Coordinates of all heavy atoms in Angstrom, one line a residue:
M222 N -24.3 35.4 28.9 CA -23.2 34.5 28.3 C -23.1 33.2 29.1 O -23.4 33.2 30.3 CB -21.9 35.3 28.3 CG -21.2 35.4 29.6 SD -19.7 36.5 29.5 CE -18.5 35.3 29.0
N223 N -22.7 32.3 28.5 CA -22.6 30.9 29.1 C -21.4 30.9 30.0 O -20.4 31.5 29.9 CB -22.4 29.9 28.0 CG -23.6 29.8 27.1 OD1 -24.7 30.1 27.5 ND2 -23.4 29.5 25.8
K224 N -21.5 30.0 31.0 CA -20.4 29.7 31.9 C -19.3 29.0 31.1 O -19.6 28.0 30.4 CB -20.9 28.9 33.1 CG -22.0 29.5 33.9 CD -21.3 30.3 35.1 CE -22.4 30.9 35.9 NZ -21.9 31.6 37.1
K225 N -18.1 29.4 31.3 CA -17.0 28.8 30.6 C -15.9 28.5 31.6 O -15.6 29.3 32.4 CB -16.5 29.8 29.5 CG -17.5 30.1 28.4 CD -16.9 31.2 27.6 CE -18.0 31.6 26.5 NZ -17.6 32.8 25.8
K226 N -15.5 27.3 31.5 CA -14.5 26.9 32.5 C -13.1 27.5 32.1 O -12.8 27.5 30.9 CB -14.3 25.4 32.5 CG -15.5 24.7 33.2 CD -15.3 23.2 33.2 CE -16.5 22.5 33.9 NZ -16.3 21.1 34.0
C227 N -12.4 27.9 33.1 CA -11.0 28.4 32.9 C -10.2 27.2 32.3 O -10.2 26.1 32.9 CB -10.5 28.9 34.2 SG -8.8 29.4 34.1
P228 N -9.4 27.5 31.3 CA -8.5 26.5 30.7 C -7.4 26.0 31.7 O -6.8 25.0 31.5 CB -8.0 27.1 29.5 CG -8.0 28.6 29.7 CD -9.2 28.8 30.6
R229 N -7.2 26.8 32.7 CA -6.1 26.4 33.6 C -6.6 25.8 34.9 O -6.2 24.7 35.2 CB -5.3 27.7 33.9 CG -4.1 27.4 34.8 CD -3.1 28.5 34.9 NE -2.1 28.2 35.9 CZ -0.8 28.3 35.7 NH1 -0.4 28.8 34.6 NH2 0.0 28.0 36.6
C230 N -7.5 26.5 35.6 CA -7.9 26.0 36.9 C -9.2 25.3 36.8 O -9.6 24.6 37.8 CB -8.0 27.2 37.9 SG -9.3 28.3 37.6
G231 N -10.0 25.4 35.7 CA -11.2 24.6 35.5 C -12.4 25.3 36.2 O -13.5 24.7 36.1
S232 N -12.2 26.4 36.8 CA -13.4 27.0 37.5 C -14.3 27.8 36.5 O -13.8 28.5 35.7 CB -12.8 28.0 38.5 OG -13.9 28.8 39.1
P233 N -15.6 27.6 36.7 CA -16.5 28.3 35.8 C -17.0 29.7 36.4 O -17.8 30.4 35.8 CB -17.7 27.4 35.7 CG -17.7 26.7 37.0 CD -16.3 26.6 37.5
I234 N -16.5 30.0 37.6 CA -17.0 31.2 38.3 C -16.2 32.4 37.9 O -15.0 32.5 38.0 CB -16.8 31.0 39.8 CG1 -17.5 29.7 40.3 CG2 -17.3 32.2 40.6 CD1 -17.2 29.4 41.8
T235 N -17.0 33.4 37.3 CA -16.4 34.6 36.8 C -17.0 35.8 37.5 O -18.1 35.8 38.0 CB -16.6 34.7 35.3 OG1 -18.0 34.7 35.0 CG2 -16.0 33.5 34.6
K236 N -16.2 36.9 37.4 CA -16.7 38.2 37.9 C -16.4 39.2 36.8 O -15.4 39.1 36.0 CB -15.9 38.6 39.2 CG -16.2 37.7 40.3 CD -15.3 38.1 41.5 CE -15.6 39.5 42.0 NZ -14.8 39.9 43.1
R237 N -17.2 40.3 36.8 CA -16.9 41.4 35.9 C -15.6 42.1 36.4 O -15.4 42.2 37.6 CB -18.0 42.4 35.9 CG -19.2 41.8 35.1 CD -20.2 42.9 34.9 NE -21.4 42.4 34.2 CZ -22.3 43.2 33.7 NH1 -22.3 44.5 33.8 NH2 -23.4 42.6 33.0
N238 N -14.8 42.5 35.5 CA -13.5 43.1 35.9 C -13.3 44.4 35.1 O -12.2 44.6 34.6 CB -12.4 42.1 35.7 CG -11.1 42.5 36.4 OD1 -11.2 43.0 37.5 ND2 -10.0 42.2 35.8
G239 N -14.3 45.2 35.0 CA -14.1 46.5 34.3 C -14.1 46.3 32.8 O -14.5 45.3 32.2
T240 N -13.6 47.3 32.1 CA -13.6 47.3 30.6 C -12.2 47.7 30.1 O -11.5 48.4 30.8 CB -14.6 48.3 30.0 OG1 -14.4 49.6 30.5 CG2 -16.0 47.8 30.4
R241 N -11.9 47.3 28.9 CA -10.7 47.7 28.3 C -11.0 48.0 26.8 O -11.5 47.1 26.1 CB -9.6 46.7 28.4 CG -8.3 47.1 27.8 CD -7.2 46.0 28.0 NE -6.9 45.7 29.4 CZ -6.2 44.8 29.8 NH1 -5.6 44.0 29.0 NH2 -5.9 44.6 31.1
N242 N -10.7 49.2 26.4 CA -11.0 49.6 25.0 C -12.5 49.3 24.7 O -12.9 48.9 23.6 CB -10.2 48.8 24.0 CG -8.7 49.1 24.2 OD1 -8.3 50.2 24.5 ND2 -7.9 48.1 24.0
G243 N -13.4 49.6 25.7 CA -14.8 49.5 25.5 C -15.3 48.1 25.5 O -16.5 47.9 25.2
V244 N -14.5 47.1 25.8 CA -14.9 45.7 25.8 C -15.0 45.3 27.3 O -14.1 45.5 28.1 CB -13.9 44.8 25.1 CG1 -14.3 43.4 25.2 CG2 -13.8 45.3 23.6
Q245 N -16.2 44.7 27.6 CA -16.3 44.2 29.0 C -15.3 43.0 29.3 O -15.2 42.1 28.5 CB -17.8 43.6 29.1 CG -18.0 43.0 30.5 CD -18.1 44.1 31.6 OE1 -18.8 45.0 31.5 NE2 -17.3 43.9 32.6
L246 N -14.7 43.2 30.4 CA -13.7 42.2 30.8 C -14.3 41.4 32.0 O -15.0 41.9 32.8 CB -12.4 42.8 31.2 CG -11.7 43.6 30.2 CD1 -10.4 44.2 30.8 CD2 -11.2 42.7 29.0
Y247 N -14.0 40.1 32.0 CA -14.4 39.3 33.1 C -13.1 38.6 33.6 O -12.1 38.6 32.9 CB -15.3 38.2 32.7 CG -16.7 38.7 32.3 CD1 -16.9 39.1 31.0 CD2 -17.8 38.7 33.2 CE1 -18.1 39.6 30.6 CE2 -19.0 39.2 32.8 CZ -19.2 39.7 31.5 OH -20.4 40.1 31.1
K248 N -13.2 38.1 34.8 CA -12.1 37.3 35.3 C -12.6 36.1 36.0 O -13.7 36.1 36.6 CB -11.1 38.1 36.1 CG -11.6 38.5 37.5 CD -10.5 39.2 38.3 CE -11.0 39.5 39.7 NZ -9.9 40.2 40.4
Y249 N -11.8 35.0 36.0 CA -12.1 33.9 36.8 C -11.8 34.1 38.3 O -10.7 34.5 38.6 CB -11.3 32.7 36.3 CG -11.8 32.2 34.9 CD1 -11.1 32.5 33.8 CD2 -12.9 31.5 34.8 CE1 -11.5 32.1 32.6 CE2 -13.4 31.1 33.6 CZ -12.7 31.4 32.5 OH -13.2 31.0 31.2
Q250 N -12.8 33.9 39.1 CA -12.6 34.3 40.5 C -11.5 33.5 41.2 O -10.8 33.9 42.1 CB -13.9 34.1 41.2 CG -14.0 34.8 42.6 CD -15.4 34.9 43.1 OE1 -16.3 34.1 42.8 NE2 -15.7 35.9 43.9
A251 N -11.4 32.2 40.8 CA -10.5 31.3 41.5 C -9.0 31.7 41.2 O -8.2 31.7 42.2 CB -10.7 29.9 41.0
C252 N -8.7 32.1 40.0 CA -7.3 32.3 39.7 C -7.0 33.7 39.2 O -5.8 34.1 39.1 CB -6.8 31.3 38.7 SG -7.5 31.6 37.0
G253 N -8.0 34.5 38.9 CA -7.8 35.9 38.6 C -7.5 36.1 37.1 O -7.3 37.2 36.7
R254 N -7.6 35.1 36.3 CA -7.3 35.2 34.9 C -8.5 36.0 34.2 O -9.6 35.7 34.4 CB -7.1 33.9 34.2 CG -5.7 33.4 34.5 CD -5.5 32.0 34.0 NE -4.1 31.6 34.2 CZ -3.3 31.7 33.2 NH1 -3.6 32.1 32.0 NH2 -2.0 31.3 33.4
Q255 N -8.1 36.9 33.3 CA -9.1 37.7 32.6 C -9.4 37.2 31.3 O -8.6 36.5 30.6 CB -8.6 39.1 32.5 CG -8.5 39.9 33.7 CD -8.1 41.4 33.4 OE1 -8.9 42.3 33.5 NE2 -6.9 41.6 33.0
F256 N -10.7 37.5 30.8 CA -11.0 37.3 29.4 C -12.1 38.3 29.0 O -12.7 38.9 29.9 CB -11.5 35.8 29.2 CG -12.8 35.5 30.0 CD1 -14.0 35.5 29.3 CD2 -12.8 35.2 31.3 CE1 -15.2 35.2 30.0 CE2 -13.9 34.9 32.0 CZ -15.2 34.9 31.3
R257 N -12.3 38.4 27.7 CA -13.2 39.4 27.2 C -14.6 38.8 27.1 O -14.8 37.6 26.8 CB -12.7 39.9 25.9 CG -11.5 40.9 26.0 CD -11.0 41.2 24.7 NE -10.4 40.1 24.1 CZ -9.7 40.2 22.9 NH1 -9.6 41.3 22.3 NH2 -9.1 39.1 22.4
A258 N -15.6 39.7 27.2 CA -17.0 39.2 27.0 C -17.2 38.6 25.7 O -16.8 39.1 24.7 CB -18.0 40.4 27.2
G259 N -17.9 37.5 25.7 CA -18.3 36.8 24.4 C -17.1 36.0 23.8 O -17.3 35.5 22.7
E260 N -16.0 36.0 24.4 CA -14.9 35.3 23.8 C -14.9 33.8 24.0 O -15.3 33.3 25.1 CB -13.6 35.9 24.5 CG -12.4 35.4 23.8 CD -11.2 36.2 24.4 OE1 -11.3 37.3 24.9 OE2 -10.1 35.6 24.3
K261 N -14.6 33.1 22.9 CA -14.6 31.7 23.0 C -13.3 31.2 23.6 O -12.3 31.9 23.6 CB -14.8 31.1 21.6 CG -16.1 31.4 21.0 CD -16.1 30.8 19.6 CE -17.5 31.2 18.9 NZ -17.5 30.6 17.5
L262 N -13.4 30.0 24.2 CA -12.1 29.4 24.6 C -11.4 28.9 23.4 O -11.6 27.8 22.9 CB -12.5 28.2 25.6 CG -13.1 28.7 26.9 CD1 -13.4 27.5 27.8 CD2 -12.2 29.6 27.7
S263 N -10.5 29.7 23.0 CA -9.8 29.5 21.7 C -8.4 30.0 21.8 O -7.9 30.4 22.9 CB -10.5 30.3 20.6 OG -10.4 31.7 20.9
D264 N -7.7 29.9 20.7 CA -6.3 30.4 20.7 C -6.3 31.9 21.1 O -5.4 32.3 21.7 CB -5.7 30.2 19.3 CG -5.4 28.7 19.0 OD1 -5.4 27.9 20.0 OD2 -5.2 28.4 17.9
E265 N -7.3 32.6 20.6 CA -7.4 34.0 20.9 C -7.5 34.2 22.4 O -6.8 35.1 23.0 CB -8.5 34.7 20.2 CG -8.6 36.2 20.5 CD -9.9 36.8 19.8 OE1 -10.7 36.0 19.3 OE2 -10.0 38.0 19.9
H266 N -8.3 33.4 23.0 CA -8.5 33.5 24.5 C -7.1 33.2 25.2 O -6.7 34.0 26.1 CB -9.5 32.4 24.9 CG -9.7 32.3 26.4 ND1 -10.4 33.2 27.1 CD2 -9.2 31.4 27.3 CE1 -10.3 32.9 28.4 NE2 -9.6 31.8 28.5
L267 N -6.4 32.2 24.8 CA -5.2 31.9 25.4 C -4.2 33.0 25.2 O -3.4 33.3 26.0 CB -4.7 30.5 24.9 CG -5.6 29.4 25.2 CD1 -5.1 28.1 24.6 CD2 -5.7 29.1 26.7
W268 N -4.2 33.5 24.0 CA -3.3 34.6 23.7 C -3.6 35.8 24.6 O -2.6 36.4 25.1 CB -3.5 35.1 22.2 CG -2.6 36.2 21.9 CD1 -1.3 36.1 21.4 CD2 -2.9 37.6 21.9 NE1 -0.8 37.4 21.2 CE2 -1.7 38.3 21.5 CE3 -4.0 38.3 22.3 CZ2 -1.7 39.7 21.4 CZ3 -4.0 39.7 22.2 CH2 -2.8 40.4 21.8
Y269 N -4.8 36.1 24.8 CA -5.2 37.2 25.7 C -4.7 37.0 27.1 O -4.2 37.8 27.8 CB -6.7 37.4 25.6 CG -7.1 38.7 26.4 CD1 -6.9 39.9 25.9 CD2 -7.7 38.5 27.6 CE1 -7.3 41.1 26.6 CE2 -8.1 39.7 28.4 CZ -7.8 40.9 27.8 OH -8.2 42.0 28.6
L270 N -4.9 35.8 27.6 CA -4.5 35.4 28.9 C -3.0 35.6 29.0 O -2.4 36.0 30.0 CB -4.9 34.0 29.2 CG -6.4 33.7 29.4 CD1 -6.6 32.3 29.7 CD2 -6.9 34.6 30.5
Y271 N -2.3 35.2 27.9 CA -0.8 35.3 27.9 C -0.4 36.8 28.1 O 0.5 37.1 28.8 CB -0.3 34.7 26.6 CG 1.2 34.9 26.5 CD1 2.1 34.2 27.3 CD2 1.7 35.8 25.5 CE1 3.4 34.4 27.2 CE2 3.1 35.9 25.4 CZ 3.9 35.3 26.2 OH 5.3 35.4 26.1
Q272 N -1.1 37.6 27.3 CA -0.8 39.1 27.4 C -1.1 39.6 28.8 O -0.3 40.3 29.4 CB -1.7 39.9 26.4 CG -1.5 39.5 25.0 CD 0.0 39.9 24.6 OE1 0.4 41.0 24.9 NE2 0.6 39.0 23.9
D273 N -2.2 39.1 29.4 CA -2.5 39.5 30.8 C -1.4 39.0 31.8 O -1.1 39.7 32.7 CB -3.9 39.0 31.1 CG -4.3 39.6 32.5 OD1 -4.3 40.8 32.6 OD2 -4.7 38.8 33.4
C274 N -1.0 37.8 31.6 CA 0.0 37.3 32.5 C 1.3 38.1 32.5 O 1.9 38.4 33.5 CB 0.4 35.8 32.0 SG -0.8 34.6 32.5
K275 N 1.7 38.6 31.3 CA 2.9 39.4 31.2 C 2.7 40.7 32.0 O 3.7 41.2 32.5 CB 3.2 39.7 29.7 CG 3.7 38.5 29.0 CD 4.4 38.9 27.7 CE 3.4 39.7 26.8 NZ 4.1 39.9 25.5
Q276 N 1.5 41.2 32.1 CA 1.3 42.5 32.7 C 1.1 42.3 34.3 O 1.5 43.2 35.0 CB 0.0 43.1 32.2 CG 0.2 43.5 30.7 CD -1.1 44.1 30.2 OE1 -2.0 44.5 30.9 NE2 -1.3 44.0 28.8
T277 N 0.6 41.2 34.7 CA 0.2 41.1 36.1 C 1.1 40.1 36.9 O 1.1 40.1 38.1 CB -1.2 40.6 36.2 OG1 -1.4 39.3 35.7 CG2 -2.2 41.6 35.5
I278 N 1.8 39.3 36.2 CA 2.6 38.2 36.8 C 1.7 37.4 37.7 O 2.0 36.9 38.8 CB 3.7 38.8 37.6 CG1 4.4 39.9 36.9 CG2 4.8 37.7 37.9 CD1 5.5 40.6 37.7
A279 N 0.4 37.2 37.2 CA -0.6 36.5 38.0 C -0.5 35.0 37.7 O -1.3 34.2 38.3 CB -2.0 37.0 37.7
C280 N 0.3 34.6 36.8 CA 0.3 33.2 36.4 C 1.7 32.6 36.9 O 1.8 31.6 37.3 CB 0.2 33.0 34.9 SG 1.2 34.0 34.0
Ligands
ZN181 ZN1 -8.4 29.9 36.2

């Protein structure tokens, strides 16, 4: 998959972060924000990050 910059911190560096519901998750190493494999930087992406923020208080 292509390197994608985090919409918040701008870092392209990602790490695998386990799976959820059978979908590979990644996170941005710099800020810890998660996203799903193959996901575009879109409204869906931001929505997912929002959901993650509510769970982790990482934002
Ligand atoms: Zn980030």
Side-chain angles (χ1 to χ4, degrees):
M222 76 186 272
N223 296 328
K224 299 268 184 177
K225 297 171 184 172
K226 289 184 180 180
C227 175
R229 179 168 176 134
C230 71
S232 173
I234 302 172
T235 58
K236 293 177 62 178
R237 289 192 182 189
N238 195 37
T240 59
R241 183 179 296 174
N242 298 325
V244 178
Q245 178 69 54
L246 298 176
Y247 294 84
K248 71 175 182 179
Y249 290 103
Q250 195 165 29
C252 70
R254 283 173 171 264
Q255 288 187 108
F256 64 100
R257 287 173 290 186
E260 188 172 335
K261 297 179 180 178
L262 292 179
S263 64
D264 289 344
E265 182 184 4
H266 175 76
L267 296 176
W268 179 86
Y269 185 76
L270 292 177
Y271 175 70
Q272 296 298 313
D273 187 54
C274 283
K275 289 197 300 186
Q276 294 174 20
T277 63
I278 319 178
C280 51

